[in-house]
Each structure stands twice: as structure tokens, then as C-alpha cells.
Amino acid sequence: MRSEPLAQAASLLEEATDLLVLHRDFAAAVERCEAGCDSLGPGTSPERCERPSAEVKCSLCVVGIQALAEMNRWREVLSWVLQYYHVPEQLPPKVLELCILLYSKVRDPQVMLEVGSSWLTDQTNKSLPEYGSLLELYLLHVLLPLGQFEGAEELVRGCGVFDSQQQLAFLGTICESRCQWAQQEEMQLAAEEQQDSAAETVLGALSQKLLTVLTLLRRALRSMSSHFYLFPYKKMLLATFLLYLVVVRLDPASPTSLPFIYKLVQLFRQAWATVFSPIHRPPIQD
């Protein structure tokens, strides 16, 4: 009997609500909602939403959406709902409203752009009492944040549910939002230009500093090359060789080593005086 799946779904709905509100067990709440929706079978169209099974399924989806959002799994919400209603046109008004508000809150209204358009252009949905409020919600939370101003104007003029005064009010809201959008673009463009100018200034300063450092480095290298060119390499090599003989091959404590050590010291003094005397110091050239 049809009442048995309905009673089972209603019982699962009650359990899911308790898990969501009282126990804060969101994963278990989603599981109960899925089991309840599966027990009711395929989705029902909105014109039959007064039927108990459609109301229970809608309530199960509402609880499931809230549980998914609590677990920060909001990206899965739309696909999760459509697995039970299959196409956007069959979404209940309450479920569509919750999805629009959810994706608007997480700053991702693009997800609901095609879904909301499909639902609003469906002829059956236009006869629902919630159509006007959902159109307004779609306009304010999807079209305008995405800059879809022309589409918003066409939707307001062609909806048929607003009187002339309401149309004028919505068109005024669209015009105001368009102006704000243009101002934000101008401010963003000015900020980008300012950042580019600041970056060019910083790069120019860095380039100048780098050029100065390279110039000083070039001068230092030229000075060092001239300095080392004047080194008496033969004397230095001879002194190094003698030092090797004294340290490695000779015993400094032996009396026979003293003459060699004395000559080595004299040779180092002469080399030092020759290299670092004022005459041999190379001038710094520009």
C-alpha cells in the first residue's frame, strides 16, 4: 500500500529532524533523508506538491540541504537534490528558494543561473503562488550579483506577474545595481592602474640600485685584478715552497733549520713590503 512508504518516509523525516536539531549528527541526518526519499520513489512535479508524499519528500530535501550545509558540503547540494527530482523544473518552490539562498550566501550564484532560469520559464511553475517571490529572489540573488542586467530587465518585463508599479520598482533596482556595478569596475580599474604604477616605480628604483651595485662591483673587480697583477708570484711561490720545507720536511727545533727559517722570514717581509707598499697600490679608476 502507498501509505506504508509514506509512513516510513515520515518516520525517517522525524528522525532526521531530531538528528539535525537536537543531536547535531549531520551525516546521520543526511542518511535518513536519503532513505526517506528513496522510499517515496520518483520525484513529483510542483503542481502536486499538496500531496502528502510530495510534502514529505520536500521536507526531507530541506532537512538534507541544511545538514549538508552544516558539514560544509554545500557544493553537493544541487546535485544531491536533483537525484530525487531529476530536472530543475520539478523542484519544489521551497527547495529552489533554499538553494538560491545557500549559493548566494557562499558567493557562488553562478550555480543557480541555469537552474533558476529553467524553473522560471516553465509554464506550469508560472501558475504557482510562490512564482513571484521566487522570481524576485532569483533577480536579487542571482542575476544582479552576476551582472546579468539585460536578462533581468527582460525577465521583469515579460514575467506577467508584476503590475506596472512593481515593474517600475524592479527596473529601478536593476538600474541602480547597474550603476553600482559600473562604479565598482571603475574603482577596480583605477586600483589596478595604481598598482601597476607603484610596481613600475619599485622596479625602477630596484633597477637603479642594481645598476649602482654592478658599477661598484665592476670597479672593485678592476681594482682587484690590477692589484693581483702586481703580485710578485715567483717570490710568493718560493716562500710557499720554503714554508712547506720548514713545516713538513724540517724540524724547527733543530739548529740546522734556523738559517732556512731566517731566510724564509726575510723573504716574506720583502714580498709583503713589495705588494702592499704605496707605490704598488693600484689607483681606483672610474
Side-chain angles (χ1 to χ4, degrees):
M1 294 180 63
R2 182 65 180 172
S3 59
E4 293 180 359
L6 179 60
Q8 181 183 1
S11 176
L12 290 170
L13 173 61
E14 184 177 356
E15 292 181 14
T17 304
D18 290 341
L19 289 169
L20 174 68
V21 178
L22 299 179
H23 304 287
R24 309 288 290 176
D25 190 348
F26 307 121
V30 173
E31 292 178 359
R32 300 297 191 281
C33 293
E34 291 175 345
C37 290
D38 291 335
S39 67
L40 292 175
T44 54
S45 56
E47 70 269 17
R48 292 180 292 173
C49 63
E50 71 278 6
R51 294 178 54 179
S53 59
E55 292 179 355
V56 172
K57 176 170 283 191
C58 177
S59 300
L60 286 167
C61 287
V62 168
V63 174
I65 291 171
Q66 293 176 347
L68 289 172
E70 290 287 349
M71 291 187 292
N72 200 26
R73 292 168 56 186
W74 52 269
R75 294 181 181 85
E76 307 173 26
V77 166
L78 184 59
S79 59
W80 184 82
V81 170
L82 288 177
Q83 70 179 333
Y84 301 114
Y85 289 97
H86 308 297
V87 292
E89 294 84 352
Q90 292 186 357
L91 290 175
K94 184 63 177 177
V95 172
L96 180 64
E97 175 186 357
L98 195 58
C99 289
I100 291 176
L101 293 175
L102 173 63
Y103 284 101
S104 174
K105 183 178 180 180
V106 297
R107 299 182 182 276
D108 195 10
Q110 181 70 37
V111 176
M112 297 303 300
L113 184 61
E114 295 296 331
V115 174
S117 177
S118 299
W119 194 94
L120 292 170
T121 54
D122 185 78
Q123 294 298 323
T124 303
N125 294 332
K126 290 182 179 181
S127 62
L128 296 175
E130 299 91 348
Y131 183 84
S133 60
L134 284 174
L135 191 151
E136 179 180 357
L137 198 69
Y138 179 74
L139 178 73
L140 298 177
H141 294 276
V142 179
L143 292 182
L144 296 187
L146 293 175
Q148 303 286 332
F149 303 114
E150 294 181 359
E153 291 175 351
E154 293 177 0
L155 187 62
V156 170
R157 291 192 176 100
C159 66
V161 297
F162 299 140
D163 55 28
S164 58
Q165 187 175 2
Q166 289 175 324
Q167 285 187 358
L168 288 175
F170 282 117
L171 292 175
T173 302
I174 295 171
C175 182
E176 182 180 354
S177 180
R178 190 197 299 269
C179 294
Q180 293 177 355
W181 184 280
Q183 291 177 358
Q184 290 177 357
E185 286 185 341
E186 292 178 357
M187 294 175 59
Q188 184 177 2
L189 181 61
E192 291 177 355
E193 292 178 352
Q194 186 176 1
Q195 290 178 357
D196 293 341
S197 177
E200 292 177 357
T201 303
V202 172
L203 289 176
L206 290 177
S207 300
Q208 186 63 33
K209 290 182 179 179
L210 180 60
L211 182 60
T212 303
V213 171
L214 290 177
T215 303
L216 295 176
L217 181 61
R218 179 179 62 84
R219 293 178 179 178
L221 290 176
R222 289 178 58 183
S223 175
M224 292 175 63
S225 63
S226 300
H227 183 75
F228 283 109
Y229 179 76
L230 299 174
F231 271 19
Y233 292 106
K234 293 181 179 180
K235 292 184 177 181
M236 292 296 294
L237 290 174
L238 180 59
T240 304
F241 177 70
L242 292 176
L243 180 64
Y244 167 77
L245 291 178
V246 171
V247 175
V248 178
R249 308 297 299 179
L250 299 178
D251 184 8
S254 176
T256 59
S257 302
L258 293 179
F260 294 98
I261 296 175
Y262 177 75
K263 291 182 179 180
L264 180 62
V265 171
Q266 294 291 5
L267 183 61
F268 267 114
R269 288 179 178 177
Q270 293 177 8
W272 184 269
T274 302
V275 172
F276 295 101
S277 63
I279 298 177
H280 292 87
R281 291 176 187 170
I284 297 177
Q285 300 178 0
D286 294 334

